[in-house]
Amino acid sequence: MNPSIPAPVVETDVAVIGAGPVGLFTVFQCGMLGLSCTVIDALPDIGGQCTAVYPEKPIYDIPGFPRVEAASLIAALEEQAAPFAPLYVLGQQVVRVSGTVQIGFDLETEKGNRIKAKAIIIAAGAGAFGPNRPPLDGIESYEGTSVFYMVRRRDDFAGKRIVIAGGGDSAVDWALSLAPLAARVMVVHRRDNFRAAPESVMRMQALADAGEIDLVVPYQLKSLDGVGAHLRHVTVATMDGAEKVLEADVLLPFFGLAASLGPIADWGLAVDRHHIPVDPSTAATSVPGIYAVGDVATYPQKLKLILTGFAEVAQAAHAIYRQTHPGQDLHMEYSTTKGIPGGV
């Protein structure tokens, strides 16, 4: 996976906004039609909510998988997309879009990266997700090195002293998951009560009672200290001002995700209560050349399921092929007969 743009302006057939499961499957469907994709996401890694919120939670309604963990589903979708060499532009939102279907679209991200595309597919789930960053001075300098808002590979944290901040499912689940391999796990929460599944909270409390993790309650984050981009200490404090210094290599703040249409709401698209109305036969929005799939798209009797998004992607990809190849017939071939690049 290449997370960066190698040139000032990237030219692609399709700009895919959103790297969740539906966005990743977009790469495969477009690739099967010979359409290249660049995938942009505000989160620093692929996977959307599957990676950021519930990576170890099982999903039961994916065809062919009686049970699959969210992180495993994302890994499989990434592998499925890989033969089509997508470019991933992560950790940044698209803030400006100009152009038309006739001349193509120019997209600019908040970091100044530019993408020129023939079509756009918005696969942004319920909107543009971004982590709720705790208000700590200098936290940006540690992000990506010592501060992470999601965990993609558990093994990256082996032998680390980890401070987990938060009181919801993500905080508790990751405390349970990382405890066996971390040097130490410290869970910081401003209340004695956690807002996670009761069974998970009971398991975490049992680990704390056994001395295998530390519950630092009721405390909240106050400041960070380190050398360069490497964290060394996390200072926490009670509401009364009592402070405690925790030796730490990693901080994992799990304070949820902020979700909204964000800049997408200013693109001139028809919007209905934070969703984008589309033609269900093509996933086309009110702006020619821009399509929406997955939870962000709406139409009568829409079912908000991952598998629904997968089907919408196929409709959008074929519509884009017809848009970009006017007058050229598409000979529909199944993957079993067509195969994939590099396949046997």
Side-chain angles (χ1 to χ4, degrees):
M1 181 173 64
N2 181 0
S4 61
I5 293 183
V9 179
V10 168
E11 294 194 8
T12 189
D13 291 323
V14 183
V16 182
I17 300 175
V22 174
L24 295 176
F25 192 60
T26 299
V27 176
F28 174 81
Q29 283 291 333
C30 288
M32 291 294 287
L33 299 177
L35 300 170
S36 62
C37 288
T38 294
V39 185
I40 309 105
D41 199 293
L43 292 174
D45 213 334
I46 65 170
Q49 292 190 76
C50 286
T51 298
V53 180
Y54 50 88
E56 297 196 336
K57 295 292 187 183
I59 302 173
Y60 298 98
D61 59 357
I62 302 299
F65 292 91
R67 169 191 168 111
V68 60
E69 290 184 350
S72 297
L73 175 63
I74 294 305
L77 288 165
E78 181 182 15
E79 180 181 355
Q80 189 177 33
F84 302 103
L87 177 66
Y88 294 98
V89 181
L90 304 176
Q92 49 197 295
Q93 281 186 313
V94 175
V95 292
R96 277 179 289 279
V97 172
S98 61
T100 66
V101 67
Q102 289 82 14
I103 63 174
F105 297 96
D106 287 296
L107 299 85
E108 184 176 348
T109 74
E110 60 190 308
K111 295 184 179 180
N113 291 318
R114 293 178 56 208
I115 300 101
K116 185 173 180 61
K118 299 174 183 176
I120 298 172
I121 293 182
I122 302 171
F129 285 92
N132 287 319
R133 177 186 285 125
L136 300 174
D137 290 341
I139 190 172
E140 295 88 351
S141 64
Y142 297 106
E143 290 175 347
T145 304
S146 297
V147 174
F148 304 91
Y149 298 100
M150 63 184 68
V151 176
R152 190 167 182 219
R153 289 173 289 270
R154 293 173 66 247
D155 290 345
D156 291 346
F157 299 89
K160 303 288 187 181
R161 299 167 299 175
I162 303 171
V163 172
I164 295 176
D169 284 308
S170 294
V172 173
D173 288 349
W174 280 117
L176 295 172
S177 179
L178 294 172
L181 56 90
R184 197 68 187 168
V185 170
M186 296 154 277
V187 182
V188 177
H189 186 40
R190 60 180 177 169
R191 301 187 184 94
D192 293 327
N193 297 323
F194 288 80
R195 307 179 311 280
E199 181 183 354
S200 298
V201 174
M202 289 176 58
R203 290 172 56 202
M204 183 179 67
Q205 185 63 58
L207 289 178
D209 292 342
E212 297 182 28
I213 67 172
D214 297 321
L215 293 184
V216 187
V217 294
Y219 283 85
Q220 54 190 353
L221 301 176
K222 182 178 181 182
S223 64
L224 305 178
D225 175 62
V227 178
H230 298 283
L231 193 62
R232 291 293 177 264
H233 302 96
V234 175
T235 300
V236 298
T238 66
M239 295 297 292
D240 296 329
E243 295 186 3
K244 182 180 293 189
V245 177
L246 308 176
E247 294 186 354
D249 304 302
V250 171
L251 171 64
L252 302 177
F254 293 126
F255 297 125
L257 300 175
S260 70
L261 282 179
I264 294 174
D266 300 323
W267 293 1
L269 301 167
V271 174
D272 180 13
R273 290 178 292 184
H274 303 292
H275 291 78
I276 301 173
V278 301
D279 178 347
S281 68
T282 60
T285 70
S286 60
V287 175
I290 301 181
Y291 304 78
V293 296
D295 285 355
V296 75
T298 187
Y299 47 83
Q301 311 306 318
K302 165 68 180 267
L303 295 176
K304 285 192 173 184
L305 298 171
I306 294 176
L307 62 90
T308 303
F310 289 164
E312 292 164 354
V313 163
Q315 299 281 31
H318 281 256
I320 290 173
Y321 183 89
R322 293 190 295 271
Q323 168 202 316
T324 56
H325 297 75
Q328 184 174 333
D329 291 334
L330 173 63
H331 176 57
M332 173 65 181
E333 290 186 86
Y334 296 106
S335 60
T336 49
T337 56
K338 184 176 183 179
I340 60 172
V344 294

